[in-house]
Amino acid sequence: MKISELQAGMKSVDVEGKILEVSEPKLVRSKITGRVNRVATAILADETGEINLALWNEQIDAVKPEDMVRIENGYVTEFRGQKQLNV
């Protein structure tokens, strides 16, 4: 699937693209478990567009700018008015 085809609410999405950048991780506390997690946003791009990619904990350390990645079984949400791909 191409990034330009992604719409909020889609599930079981497979996408390939290049990581353009990764934000600095922030610490957030889970309302359910109380556990502190790291979260960052990467920008994933292909020839059709870009989308924010939510990264949690060890996922943050697994990618860096210029990496080519394949997201399998992702889902698309909307966060602060922008589409976001979640793993």
Side-chain angles (χ1 to χ4, degrees):
M1 187 164 246
K2 298 297 182 186
I3 289 174
S4 65
E5 299 170 328
L6 299 178
Q7 298 297 322
M10 294 177 96
K11 298 178 181 177
S12 300
V13 177
D14 295 342
V15 179
E16 292 182 4
K18 181 191 284 190
I19 300 291
L20 298 183
E21 62 183 70
V22 180
S23 71
E24 285 296 317
K26 295 179 184 176
L27 297 178
V28 295
R29 183 176 302 277
S30 169
K31 293 178 183 176
I32 297 170
T33 65
R35 181 177 168 215
V36 175
N37 295 292
R38 293 185 311 142
V39 63
T41 301
I43 298 177
L44 181 67
D46 67 11
E47 65 276 4
T48 69
E50 300 177 357
I51 192 167
N52 289 338
L53 173 63
L55 300 172
W56 292 86
N57 299 315
E58 63 279 347
Q59 294 171 340
I60 298 168
D61 302 319
V63 298
K64 62 185 182 307
E66 301 299 316
D67 282 354
M68 293 298 294
V69 298
R70 178 173 171 81
I71 305 299
E72 295 180 344
N73 200 28
Y75 61 98
V76 183
T77 58
E78 192 169 302
F79 182 69
R80 295 184 179 166
Q82 293 189 338
K83 288 185 285 189
Q84 178 171 280
L85 181 58
N86 302 272
V87 183

